Amino acid sequence: MEKKWVKTEEMLEALRREADTEQQYCHYLGGMLRSTHWLEYSSKRQKFGDSTNWFDYTWYTESEFLEVYANQWWMREV
């Protein structure tokens, strides 16, 4: 899989296609700054889980997630 930067909306679609599977993404914060996130779409909850420490997920609806991260850049870590 080719690594490439994608916008939040495209990342959410990719998570939905691979529901119930945790994925590691790099969140671009600007300049040389990045943050690692573990993300998952739960088909049971129909929400997106986000964690920066592996265990503690915060669950968001798509609109809630977009309120925080709309139009930002992400790269899937393979």
Side-chain angles (χ1 to χ4, degrees), residues 1 5 12 23 25 29 52 56-58 63 67 75 77:
M1 170 187 279
W5 291 103
L12 294 179
Q23 305 293 330
Y25 275 84
L29 302 174
T52 54
D56 239 358
Y57 271 98
T58 302
S63 61
E67 279 182 41
M75 183 186 302
E77 298 291 334

Side-chain angles (χ1 to χ4, degrees), residues 38 49-59:
W38 287 267
D50 177 29
S51 175
T52 54
N53 67 6
W54 285 317
F55 303 109
D56 239 358
Y57 271 98
T58 302
W59 293 93

Side-chain angles (χ1 to χ4, degrees), residues 1-56:
M1 170 187 279
E2 177 187 347
K3 286 188 174 187
K4 66 177 184 172
W5 291 103
V6 296
K7 292 282 190 170
T8 303
E9 295 77 1
E10 190 176 341
M11 179 195 67
L12 294 179
E13 284 303 314
L15 288 169
R16 196 177 275 117
R17 282 192 302 272
E18 295 186 53
D20 307 311
T21 303
E22 183 180 77
Q23 305 293 330
Q24 183 179 342
Y25 275 84
C26 178
H27 179 213
Y28 178 69
L29 302 174
M32 302 273 304
L33 300 174
R34 288 150 177 72
S35 175
T36 300
H37 289 248
W38 287 267
L39 299 153
E40 177 181 342
Y41 177 73
S42 170
S43 59
K44 183 178 179 180
R45 294 177 191 229
Q46 294 194 359
K47 290 187 175 188
F48 295 90
D50 177 29
S51 175
T52 54
N53 67 6
W54 285 317
F55 303 109
D56 239 358

